Amino acid sequence: MQTAPQTTDELFEALRENDRRPYGRTRTVTAEELAEAAELFGEPVPLIHALLELQEAYTYGSEPRKSPVVFARLLNLFDEQPDVFDDRLRHQLFWRFKWVANALRCLPEVPLASLRQWQTEMRDRYEKAGLDLQPYYGQAYQLAAHVGEDTDLAYELWAGRTRGPLSDCEACETCERALYHLASGDDERALRAWEPVLAGEESCQEEPARSVSYALLPLLRAGRTDEARRLHLAGYRSCRRNPSMAGELGRHLEFCALTGNEARGLELLAENRTLFDEVDSPLAQLDLLTGVEVLLARVEALGHGELPAAGFPGRSWTVASLRAEVRRRADDLAGRFDARNGTTAHTDRRAARLGRAPLLESLELTLRPRTLEDVVPATAPAAPEPAEALPEAPADLIRRARELDEQGHPDAHACWARLRALTTAPDYVHPDDPEVGPLVRLRADLLEEEATLADRKDAHADAAALYEEAAGLYEDAGLPGHAVFARASAVLAAAQVAPKGAEGEGAGAGPDGTGAQGAGAEARAAAQVAVFTEAHAELVRLHEQASGIAPYLEARLLRLRVSARGLRLQASGDAEHVAPILAEAELLYDFAVRRGLTGQIAAARLLRATTHAMAGDLPTALAETDGLVELLRADGPAWHLPRALSLRGKIQFGLGDVEAAHASLSEGLRLAAEWPAEAVDVPALHGELAQACMGLGRPDEALRHLTRSAELELRAGTRFDAFCTYSNAAQLSLDLGRIEDCIALLDSLLLEPDVVGGELDDRLVAQLRLTRARALRAGDDLKAATAEFVALAAESAGWDDDPGSHAMIAAETAVLLGEAGEFAQAREAVDQALAAHALDPRYELVSNALRELARLQAQQGSEGLAGARAFLDDAGRVADAARAVGFEAHGRSLDSALAYEHGRINAYAGAYDEALAALEKAVGLLGEPGEDADVAGEWAECVRLAGVVEGVYLERTAPALARVEAAADRLTSLGHTEEAESLTGLAERLRDEE
């Protein structure tokens, strides 16, 4: 709180503002300050309101020690001045007797006799006030269940009573009944009791999140795994980082531990690490720590006790060390509660949870299933696994590596990796073998291999430097042919290095793929064309100067020449650059045929097919790949077949033969499993299969391929590509209505170290957050969605290179603020959108937002009409500008939609003649309805509202009926029977009134 309120009006406004904050330290501290400020006014009512807010902050901020103290002050005020408590304040006071009872149960230092004494106080107060005692018996049962004695009798005394005004809400009472059955070992009856809460029919501040956390394991035991998975995702989101739901979080961690999702459990634990310090309730601590221990014990039992774990602040923890500390603290808490209660209930319940065996070996909870191996801290990348065992002797291994490398065999990578490990050892002794050659040659070989791997990861500058270094070592070793090829490889790698100052990977691209193209885009393309032209000339020069080199090296030089031409075509898109590529590919093909180089024959045909595809000649490209696939099936080399099938699948997809594309890509993926990862781009194959699956109407299968592609990219270290693919997967899951899946995936990604550390491209992170905000909105979590949109709008305001994306985000933010009734803030946000739109137009997005804001504000009645009309005036200016530049909307016409909104808002204002004129204008702008169902639906709605205005409000029944009947007949004749139904119903109403 920046300044203390100076008047009671300011105090009440500050209390309302604080009430909108999430529970936690910020809200609690502010409530404390407001209570102090309220004391200064010397008036009981403001003080009562401030104390009520403070007690609520303590209760839901998991500070049970402070809640009874505040309530004691409220009770004193009530005893001294009962008349200042109106009916609502009186209800609040008596309701909170239950809060105090709950708070005292959470504190093991409070004697059992004091708990019973408070219950007696509650009963006496209720009786004196003439209130029903059902809430008292509810508290008596909860104390009995806590202590573990006389539970059945206490339950019957409570559950048999009729609910009253001060009873706990139905959702909370449902949970207590279900927990009673659960404690009795009757899962089936507990789940039956929980049905209305789990289905969302009953809810409150704590429900259904509390019930969900308890129901997860019974659902698993009942075989209802899909329901358990769904509820875990939704329920966890309700309790994440929430101190008042620490126990619920502990049960979600336990659920992860018992379903083979230990890695997700550790991730959730890390996300909620602040709860170790924030939860002040000993009972909630016990519940949380027991769930944490179940998880840690499972991870340790699986042999991962040395994994890092998020724990108590002040030091670093491993799974094993944290488990020991958690066990010590939780045992102590359970012992203190049992000592207070005179039973062993808490120790017994804790032992039962810790003794549970896993219920499922594996349950896929999210779109990003991970194992404990996936969270092991990364070291050096694993060496590729060869198809055959590698020779042990260094001389034999070197010969094998060079033999496989000459063939282009993918197992060469495993040989080089093994040799790199051997040569870096301090005791390595190079073989004294003339056939193997000197150590300097081996070092050159290893540098060239390292350069090749860097080139594949688009680290072209690193690759060029490594190739140059390798060339020098080859010259020292007396191998000029190898030196020429290494130098040629350096030329092509250097040509692919982005020029200094050019936009980096992903930079400048806004969310949803928007972003300024930049005035220099054409100039950059022209510069790239020149670079690749020069690189090709240098490659030709190197080739011509080389003499007497091995055929396989000469073939590789020819292949580099083809690649340089291909890169030039990619940069230019100029059809004139196609023929030179095909000519170079033909040179490579002829040379490979003459020399019997089967791998290069396949490579030449693959390049030829790729060039035809890039040039748009898909039938020729398909014929080439069909021939290549048959050749590879018959003569090999087999490791080229997955790549050829991948290309064929893409071409078939481009030709519209989705079934064939899916078959080719699926076979390519199956065959790729037979070769090391370096041989085939498996993530790309999964991505292409996702496209084919979407084309076949199998989106769930597409989603699986996308997430698999992303995880493989992540493991390969191509993190930017991985996050882009995950972003696509998240958007697809949102489009499919799998909202909780989408949110859970994005929550997991946004916790990745390079995201948290700000190392990942900020626009890509913004896209992930934007999709998450939209998913929150789709899931009706409008408060969280609005907060994320507001934050994104503030950040994107600084994107000077991409005002269009800021316009989009600010417009969406404005609509959400409007839905929340915050029209002043909505006006500020939409003004930002308009300013950004002026720099980089987003006609449709901004127009849609303005019209929606007008509709929302008009619903406030007469108070909102001026603001609504101001929004429509802005929308009119946007439509005028769009019309002036010939912009055509993808959805509704901006002009017809604006005319309709004018009609609707004039109707709200009672200006019915103006409303009818606007609606008639909208109908005229739409024209006659045709076959398009969307246009027919919009046309029908305009006619319907015009009929209502004319026939009902203007009481011109006859012309309104004629208008509506004619429109209904017109739609029916065009086959739009569904769209005609609303008009038919209105016509019947108008006939009745006539």
Side-chain angles (χ1 to χ4, degrees), residues 769-777 782-796 808-814 816-817:
R769 290 173 56 199
L770 180 61
T771 304
R772 182 178 182 274
R774 288 170 174 164
L776 289 168
R777 184 183 186 185
L782 298 184
K783 189 173 183 179
T786 303
E788 186 66 277
F789 265 110
V790 168
L792 280 167
E795 291 176 26
S796 62
M808 173 194 67
I809 293 171
E812 287 192 60
T813 303
L816 266 175
L817 289 166

Side-chain angles (χ1 to χ4, degrees), residues 11-182:
L11 174 70
F12 283 117
E13 178 57 35
L15 288 170
R16 283 190 291 271
E17 183 180 344
N18 200 40
D19 186 57
R20 290 192 286 268
R21 290 190 175 99
Y23 295 109
R25 287 306 303 158
T26 301
R27 177 166 176 168
T28 300
V29 169
T30 304
E32 290 171 339
E33 293 172 347
L34 291 174
E36 290 177 6
E39 296 267 17
L40 302 177
F41 293 113
E43 298 179 31
V45 173
L47 179 59
I48 291 167
H49 281 276
L51 291 174
L52 288 170
E53 164 62 23
L54 181 57
Q55 189 192 13
E56 182 177 343
Y58 285 145
T59 298
Y60 289 107
S62 192
E63 296 189 60
R65 289 181 173 85
K66 298 178 180 178
S67 173
V69 177
V70 178
F71 187 74
R73 295 191 63 195
L74 284 164
L75 205 54
N76 285 336
L77 283 168
F78 178 74
D79 290 339
E80 293 167 1
Q81 305 177 67
D83 293 342
V84 304
F85 284 76
D86 59 20
D87 289 344
R88 192 183 72 82
L89 292 177
R90 184 173 179 275
H91 180 88
Q92 285 280 323
L93 181 82
F94 280 96
W95 183 276
R96 294 182 183 210
F97 272 90
K98 298 179 292 182
W99 285 12
V100 174
N102 289 332
L104 296 175
R105 277 200 310 275
C106 292
L107 304 172
E109 63 267 28
V110 177
L112 187 60
S114 297
L115 298 184
R116 299 196 191 283
Q117 183 181 349
W118 177 254
Q119 290 197 340
T120 302
E121 173 81 4
M122 178 181 175
R123 177 172 183 149
D124 292 346
R125 291 271 188 170
Y126 271 50
E127 285 180 332
K128 183 178 178 180
L131 300 172
D132 184 79
L133 291 180
Q134 194 262 8
Y136 157 76
Y137 284 104
Q139 288 301 313
Y141 161 67
Q142 289 180 41
L143 179 58
H146 170 82
V147 172
E149 284 186 342
D150 302 323
T151 308
D152 293 339
L153 176 60
Y155 178 79
E156 292 301 327
L157 288 172
W158 162 64
R161 291 181 176 268
T162 304
R163 288 172 43 77
L166 287 167
S167 299
D168 283 343
C169 77
E170 291 191 34
C172 287
E173 291 201 345
T174 294
C175 184
E176 292 299 336
R177 289 189 177 90
L179 289 176
Y180 172 76
H181 299 312
L182 192 63

Side-chain angles (χ1 to χ4, degrees), residues 761-845:
D761 181 80
D762 63 338
R763 306 303 167 83
L764 178 53
V765 174
Q767 177 62 67
L768 298 173
R769 290 173 56 199
L770 180 61
T771 304
R772 182 178 182 274
R774 288 170 174 164
L776 289 168
R777 184 183 186 185
D780 293 327
D781 192 347
L782 298 184
K783 189 173 183 179
T786 303
E788 186 66 277
F789 265 110
V790 168
L792 280 167
E795 291 176 26
S796 62
W799 295 352
D800 295 336
D801 61 329
D802 188 11
S805 287
H806 175 56
M808 173 194 67
I809 293 171
E812 287 192 60
T813 303
V815 172
L816 266 175
L817 289 166
E819 290 176 355
E822 302 286 350
F823 287 103
Q825 289 178 264
R827 182 73 253 184
E828 291 177 8
V830 86
D831 284 344
Q832 288 184 31
L834 285 165
H837 159 78
L839 299 172
D840 187 6
R842 294 290 186 271
Y843 298 107
E844 190 164 9
L845 283 166

Side-chain angles (χ1 to χ4, degrees), residues 265-527:
L266 291 177
E267 184 180 278
L268 301 190
L269 180 62
E271 187 179 13
N272 292 274
R273 69 180 71 210
T274 57
L275 296 189
F276 283 112
D277 193 41
E278 291 178 354
V279 177
D280 192 48
S281 163
L283 189 60
Q285 286 177 2
L286 175 59
D287 224 2
L288 169 64
L289 293 178
T290 301
V292 171
E293 188 177 351
V294 171
L295 171 66
L296 298 175
R298 179 65 184 154
V299 174
E300 194 170 2
L302 292 171
H304 291 281
E306 295 309 308
L307 277 178
F312 301 96
R315 59 161 287 187
S316 298
W317 299 93
T318 65
V319 166
S321 64
L322 180 60
R323 182 195 173 199
E325 180 64 15
V326 165
R327 182 172 60 242
R328 182 187 68 77
R329 296 192 188 206
D331 282 345
D332 176 66
L333 285 169
R336 289 172 61 198
F337 278 110
D338 286 344
R340 189 268 302 273
N341 299 336
T343 64
T344 61
H346 289 275
T347 299
D348 295 343
R349 290 168 191 163
R350 181 169 143 70
R353 289 177 70 182
L354 291 170
R356 286 187 182 122
L359 296 174
L360 290 173
E361 184 177 336
S362 177
L363 173 63
E364 190 171 304
L365 292 180
T366 71
L367 296 174
R368 194 187 180 198
R370 307 178 79 200
T371 66
L372 289 171
E373 284 69 24
D374 294 321
V375 297
V376 172
T379 54
E385 289 293 329
E388 299 178 7
L390 299 180
E392 291 293 330
D396 294 337
L397 186 58
I398 293 169
R399 277 190 287 268
R400 179 68 173 153
R402 289 172 180 160
E403 175 191 352
L404 293 174
D405 188 72
E406 184 175 331
Q407 299 170 17
H409 197 293
D411 278 354
H413 296 294
C415 296
W416 293 127
R418 174 65 180 145
L419 283 165
R420 183 174 292 106
L422 286 175
T423 56
T424 54
D427 58 348
Y428 174 73
V429 178
H430 190 69
D432 185 10
D433 185 337
E435 186 181 349
V436 168
L439 178 59
V440 68
R441 178 184 175 184
L442 178 57
R443 286 178 177 162
D445 291 337
L446 294 173
L447 278 171
E448 188 176 48
E449 166 71 3
E450 188 178 350
T452 301
L453 296 177
D455 218 11
R456 289 180 181 176
K457 292 182 178 180
D458 296 330
H460 302 300
D462 293 340
L466 290 166
Y467 278 129
E468 283 288 357
E469 189 177 352
L473 292 181
Y474 277 130
E475 287 175 345
D476 293 343
L479 296 168
H482 287 75
V484 167
F485 176 69
R487 198 148 277 129
S489 299
V491 168
L492 190 59
Q496 296 175 75
V497 176
K500 193 172 183 180
E503 291 181 1
E505 185 179 48
D512 290 353
T514 60
Q517 291 296 316
E522 290 184 10
R524 285 195 297 273

